[in-house]
């Protein structure tokens, strides 16, 4: 009998023994504290004893379980290591909620024991097991006790589901969902962190499910019923996930901790980890949302630079020479790639560079320039979870985190994984056209077509500005927040600023400064007719609607004209589903002082 058959038989024996206990009042009694330090219910102990008796019938093995810890089962030299959770979802089982399972994972000990002919003491076996990890497990079986479905997988043989009543094996694979807004996500409920609660509140995904059985939820991801399963607390135990880990791994899933590092837990009941499980397309997005540090080493840098200054391009040359010395791959924005590949312009420093024509293999982007270059980098990234390393070669540099003298220090921090990521909210929007007759004006034919009834705007990292087409002509708006009328505004225009943009145009127009992490937007009138028309800070999850009452307006996103809104049109703005990510450099308040926005610069303790 091979490993997969053993695991299935043990799971089925546990199922038969546990089902009669559902609803029995004594099942819920705490009988001891388990090996992992958590209370053991009577139903857990009975299920584990059934598993031990079953394993003894089929093989000799080293058993790792939350209740018993480490135990040699059977006679002779152990053939396998078995990681067991006899009931994953005990609360559900005790309350007859049909989402609880048996989870088993197995690995061979043959290669670990070599030519050993005689049994050895338990301490020696424990030393051998302690040198193994979850990635040494070759078979995974998770049986949904309530439905009878069996999820199973074997290394390099794919993952399958065996459904009742015919037990036919059907191959399963993770979903191909690419966008967060289309994703269904399972979330671990116990001890929810602030960022998990924010994630639920912000409704960044289509559905959020809380099932209470980690092994089953990983299997749901493996079959594409969920697009991701997340526990960003470091509370996920080895026995909780071992069976589901093998199934999900063999179905093509990506499994890491919340910082994107591969799971490499030792075979030990005390090991715990955070967990992000998803398909490849969504994984970086979830790491970007939940990771406290971007611990992944760079695979390839993208380089974006201003091209109107020779010192900026010379710095690009220094950067690529430095990356070459570190054997790190890179690609350049097409325009600067052409310039640098033309040796004659730069003292015959002949460098042949790769053009950054797509972002598929880019892990980080170096932006060399000022704030405008950073905004361009954010637009080029277009919602991908790629951190920006902003190097200041401009004049102001609110968005730039490093000066040009620190560029190699910044690169080294990223290469060594010793850096923090700051996540920045963006603003998404659209212009909803009012539906004009064909003869209304020369441009109105576009609006007569129902397909052109709205225009989607690119995301704004700084701000969306609604401004007059004609200088010194006052505009007239109505402003609504979450459907509630806020104000009738007569002004030269309106600024809707993100926290990042609060130190840009919004600040010049009299708006407040927001820390980058604040979840809010600022609505700022530009030169309002009414003196009491003041900036308003609204919650970041608000929908802001601006109704144009008179004259045509331009809609400007991060300094680029993106559309025109006419009388009767509505501009709808809300938080984007994606963020921009920055490698953190300057302290925010130090930066404000250095740029003379607040107080005085160069105070004691200031540092870059």
């Amino acid at each position: 009998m091979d490993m997969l058959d053993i695991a299935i038989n043990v799971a089925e024996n546990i199922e038969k023994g546990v089902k009669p206990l559902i609803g029995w009042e004594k099942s819920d009694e705490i009988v001891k504290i388990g090996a992992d330090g958590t209370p053991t219910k009577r139903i857990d102990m009975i299920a584990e004893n059934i598993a031990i008796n079953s394993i003894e019938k089929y093989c000799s093995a080293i058993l790792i379980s939350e209740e018993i810890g480490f135990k040699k089962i059977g006679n002779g030299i152990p053939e396998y290591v078995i990681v067991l959770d006899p009931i994953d979802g005990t609360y559900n089982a005790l309350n007859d909620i049909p989402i609880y399972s048996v989870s088993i994972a197995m690995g061979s000990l043959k290669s670990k024991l070599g030519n050993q002919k005689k049994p050895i003491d338990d301490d020696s076996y424990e030393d051998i097991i302690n040198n193994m990890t979850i990635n040494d497990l070759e078979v995974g079986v998770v049986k949904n006790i309530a439905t009878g479905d069996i999820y199973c997988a074997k290394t390099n043989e794919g993952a399958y589901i065996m459904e009742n009543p015919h037990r036919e094996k059907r191959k399963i694979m993770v979903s191909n969902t690419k966008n967060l807004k289309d994703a269904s996500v399972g979330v671990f409920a116990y001890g929810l962190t602030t960022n998990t609660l924010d994630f639920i509140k912000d409704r960044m995904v289509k559905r959020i499910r809380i099932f209470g059985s980690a092994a089953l939820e990983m299997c749901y991801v493996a079959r594409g019923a969920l697009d991701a399963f997340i526990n960003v607390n470091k509370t996920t135990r080895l026995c909780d996930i071992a069976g589901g880990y093998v199934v999900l791994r063999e179905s093509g899933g990506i499994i890491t901790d919340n910082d994107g590092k591969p799971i490499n837990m030792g075979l030990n009941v005390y090991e715990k980890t955070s967990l992000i499980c998803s398909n490849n397309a969504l994984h970086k997005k979830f790491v970007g949302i939940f990771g406290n540090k971007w611990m992944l080493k760079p695979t390839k840098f993208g380089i974006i630079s201003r091209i109107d200054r020779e010192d900026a391009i010379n710095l690009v040359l220094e950067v690529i020479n430095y990356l070459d010395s570190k054997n790190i791959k890179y690609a350049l924005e097409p325009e600067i790639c052409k310039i640098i590949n033309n040796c004659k312009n730069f003292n015959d420093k002949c460098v042949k560079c790769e053009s950054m024509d797509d972002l598929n293999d880019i892990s980080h982007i170096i932006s060399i320039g000022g704030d405008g270059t950073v905004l361009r980098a954010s637009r080029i990234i277009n919602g991908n979870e790629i951190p920006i390393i902003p190097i200041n070669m401009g004049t102001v540099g609110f968005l730039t985190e490093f000066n040009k003298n620190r560029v190699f220090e910044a690169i080294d921090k990223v290469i060594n994984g010793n850096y923090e990521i700051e996540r920045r909210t963006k603003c998404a929007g659209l212009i909803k056209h009012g539906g004009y007759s064909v003869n209304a004006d020369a441009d109105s034919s576009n609006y007569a077509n129902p397909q052109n009834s709205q225009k989607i705007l690119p995301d704004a990292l700084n701000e969306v500005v609604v401004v007059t087409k004609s200088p010194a002509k006052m505009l007239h708006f109505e402003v609504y927040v979450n459907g509630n009328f806020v104000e009738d505004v007569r002004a030269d225009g309106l600024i809707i600023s993100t926290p990042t943009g609060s130190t840009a145009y919004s600040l010049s127009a009299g708006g407040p400064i927001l820390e980058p992490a604040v979840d809010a937007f600022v609505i700022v009138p530009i030169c309002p007719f009414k003196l009491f028309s003041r900036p308003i800070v609204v919650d970041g999850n608000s929908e802001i609607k601006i109704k144009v009452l008179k004259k045509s307006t331009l809609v400007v996103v991060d300094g680029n004209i993106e559309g025109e809104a006419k009388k009767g049109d509505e501009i709808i703005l809300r938080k984007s589903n994606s963020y921009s990510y920055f490698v953190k450099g300057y302290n925010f308040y130090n930066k404000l002082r250095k740029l003379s926005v607040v107080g005085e610069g160069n105070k004691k303790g200031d540092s870059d």
Side-chain angles (χ1 to χ4, degrees):
M1 187 179 294
D2 70 7
M3 278 192 288
L4 186 57
D5 291 329
I6 292 171
I8 291 173
N9 285 338
V10 172
E12 290 186 327
N13 289 336
I14 293 174
E15 176 197 25
K16 290 174 186 175
V18 165
K19 273 196 169 181
L21 304 178
I22 305 303
W24 179 38
E25 65 275 9
K26 292 188 177 181
S27 294
D28 197 25
E29 290 181 0
I30 296 174
V31 294
K32 70 169 191 173
I33 298 299
D36 68 340
T38 58
T40 297
K41 303 288 181 71
R42 186 178 299 277
I43 193 172
D44 296 314
M45 182 63 71
I46 292 172
E48 185 179 69
N49 288 333
I50 294 169
I52 290 171
N53 292 332
S54 298
I55 292 167
E56 285 181 325
K57 292 179 183 178
Y58 303 122
C59 65
S60 61
I62 300 297
L63 176 65
I64 298 170
S65 171
E66 290 172 359
E67 322 310 333
I68 204 169
F70 178 96
K71 183 178 178 63
K72 182 179 177 293
I73 307 294
N75 299 317
I77 299 170
E79 304 167 74
Y80 308 111
V81 58
I82 299 176
V83 181
L84 171 71
D85 190 347
I87 303 181
D88 179 48
T90 303
Y91 176 86
N92 292 347
L94 292 170
N95 291 277
D96 204 13
I97 300 169
I99 305 175
Y100 51 97
S101 64
V102 180
S103 172
I104 301 173
M106 295 181 67
S108 173
L109 289 177
K110 186 176 180 180
S111 64
K112 307 296 180 183
L113 296 175
N115 296 321
Q116 183 185 324
K117 302 297 183 182
K118 295 180 181 180
I120 55 179
D121 60 87
D122 286 356
D123 288 343
S124 297
Y125 283 126
E126 193 162 0
D127 288 341
I128 292 169
I129 298 301
N130 284 340
N131 288 320
M132 299 177 68
T133 75
I134 194 170
N135 293 298
D136 291 310
L137 300 174
E138 303 163 56
V139 160
V141 169
V142 177
K143 178 157 191 179
N144 187 331
I145 299 176
T147 65
D149 295 340
I150 298 174
Y151 298 90
C152 57
K154 193 171 184 179
T155 300
N156 299 324
E157 294 185 14
Y160 297 85
I161 183 171
M162 298 165 63
E163 297 171 295
N164 280 338
H166 303 297
R167 294 295 178 86
E168 293 180 358
K169 287 175 70 175
R170 175 169 61 85
K171 191 166 186 177
I172 56 176
M173 296 189 69
V174 293
S175 75
N176 58 5
T177 303
K178 296 181 180 179
N179 299 316
L180 282 177
K181 65 181 180 180
D182 300 322
S184 296
V185 180
V187 176
F188 182 76
Y190 184 76
L192 290 173
T193 59
T194 301
N195 57 351
T196 307
L197 289 169
D198 287 343
F199 174 74
I200 294 172
K201 180 186 70 172
D202 291 351
R203 291 300 302 271
M204 296 178 64
V205 296
K206 187 175 183 180
R207 295 183 184 90
I208 293 173
R209 296 288 182 259
I210 300 176
F211 291 119
S213 175
L216 270 179
E217 289 175 269
M218 293 176 79
C219 291
Y220 294 158
V221 177
R223 69 182 291 186
L226 286 175
D227 299 300
F229 171 62
I230 293 164
N231 176 15
V232 296
N233 290 324
K234 199 172 183 179
T235 56
T236 305
R237 299 167 296 187
L238 171 72
C239 297
D240 293 333
I241 66 169
Y245 179 91
V246 178
V247 173
L248 180 52
R249 181 187 70 196
E250 296 304 310
S251 71
I254 307 297
I255 312 164
T256 71
D257 68 8
N258 66 310
D259 292 320
K261 294 194 296 183
I263 301 294
N264 199 35
M265 302 174 78
L267 299 188
N268 188 312
V269 291
Y270 304 109
E271 290 249 2
K272 295 180 181 179
T273 184
S274 55
L275 196 66
I276 293 180
C277 312
S278 66
N279 63 36
N280 186 57
L282 291 173
H283 183 260
K284 282 188 178 181
K285 298 178 189 294
F286 287 117
V287 170
I289 292 170
F290 293 108
N292 294 323
K293 288 188 178 181
W294 204 287
M295 302 299 291
L296 299 176
K297 289 190 176 182
T299 55
K300 180 188 273 188
F301 283 107
I303 302 174
I304 294 173
S305 173
R306 60 188 301 170
I307 60 175
D308 60 335
R309 286 177 50 174
E310 187 171 334
D311 58 345
I313 297 176
N314 282 329
L315 185 57
V316 173
L317 285 167
E318 292 179 33
V319 166
I320 63 179
N321 287 334
Y322 191 74
L323 294 176
D324 280 334
S325 73
K326 298 285 185 177
N327 294 315
I328 301 292
K329 295 180 180 179
Y330 56 86
L332 276 63
E333 190 179 10
E335 188 62 29
I336 192 162
C337 189
K338 290 178 184 177
I339 294 171
I340 287 183
N341 283 340
N342 182 356
C343 310
K344 297 178 182 178
N345 292 341
F346 297 99
N347 301 319
D348 294 326
K349 295 177 183 177
C350 190
V351 180
K352 295 299 178 185
C353 300
E354 177 186 342
S355 178
M356 187 176 65
D357 297 317
D358 65 64
L359 300 174
N360 287 336
D361 55 353
I362 299 295
S363 61
H364 300 71
I365 280 188
I366 301 173
S367 167
I368 297 175
D371 288 351
T373 309
V374 174
L375 293 173
R376 183 157 54 87
S378 178
R379 182 167 294 209
I380 289 170
I381 290 169
N382 192 30
N384 289 286
E385 280 60 48
I386 300 175
I388 300 171
I389 308 168
I391 310 299
N392 187 22
M393 293 290 290
T395 52
V396 180
F398 271 111
L399 298 178
T400 50
E401 292 288 329
F402 302 93
N403 62 43
K404 63 182 180 181
N405 297 322
R406 296 181 63 205
V407 59
F408 304 124
E409 175 192 335
I411 291 171
D412 284 342
K413 283 184 174 183
V414 172
I415 291 173
N416 296 326
N418 182 29
Y419 62 105
E420 293 185 16
I421 287 291
E422 191 167 66
R423 189 180 73 177
R424 302 290 186 94
T425 297
K426 296 190 294 184
C427 180
L430 59 87
I431 303 171
K432 185 177 179 182
H433 298 301
Y436 306 96
S437 66
V438 175
N439 297 323
D441 59 43
D443 297 326
S444 63
S445 58
N446 286 333
Y447 305 113
N449 184 344
Q451 294 181 347
N452 294 321
S453 61
Q454 65 182 36
K455 176 181 174 61
I456 305 296
L457 299 170
D459 289 351
L461 175 58
N462 262 358
E463 73 276 302
V464 176
V465 179
V466 186
V467 67
T468 177
K469 292 174 66 177
S470 305
K473 294 290 185 181
M474 189 173 291
L475 299 172
H476 191 186
F477 309 101
E478 286 179 348
V479 178
Y480 298 80
V481 175
N482 295 326
N484 298 307
F485 176 73
V486 175
E487 189 176 3
D488 181 293
V489 177
R490 295 174 185 268
D492 286 358
L494 275 177
I495 302 168
I496 295 80
S497 170
T498 67
T500 299
S502 69
T503 53
Y505 194 3
S506 170
L507 181 65
S508 299
I513 297 172
L514 303 184
E515 284 189 335
V518 171
D519 188 14
F521 291 106
V522 186
I523 305 172
V524 185
I526 303 171
C527 299
F529 174 73
K530 301 173 184 175
L531 295 179
F532 55 80
S533 187
R534 307 306 303 159
I536 301 173
V537 179
V538 301
D539 183 88
N541 294 296
S542 303
E543 179 184 272
I544 301 167
K545 181 172 74 175
I546 302 161
K547 188 170 183 178
V548 181
L549 300 181
K550 290 183 179 180
K551 300 186 179 72
S552 294
T553 69
L554 297 178
V555 181
V556 183
V557 178
D558 285 344
N560 297 300
I561 297 173
E562 296 294 346
E564 181 180 340
K566 297 177 180 291
K567 178 182 176 181
D569 288 355
E570 295 176 347
I571 301 156
I572 313 294
L573 303 170
R574 58 176 68 90
K575 184 190 294 184
S576 172
N577 288 327
S578 65
Y579 295 86
S580 285
Y581 301 88
F582 288 80
V583 174
K584 196 170 181 180
Y586 290 105
N587 173 284
F588 178 67
Y589 293 102
N590 288 350
K591 187 192 299 186
L592 293 181
R593 286 195 295 272
K594 286 176 183 294
L595 296 172
S596 301
V597 176
V598 295
E600 295 181 7
N602 300 320
K603 291 292 184 184
K604 184 177 180 180
D606 284 1
S607 67
D608 291 348

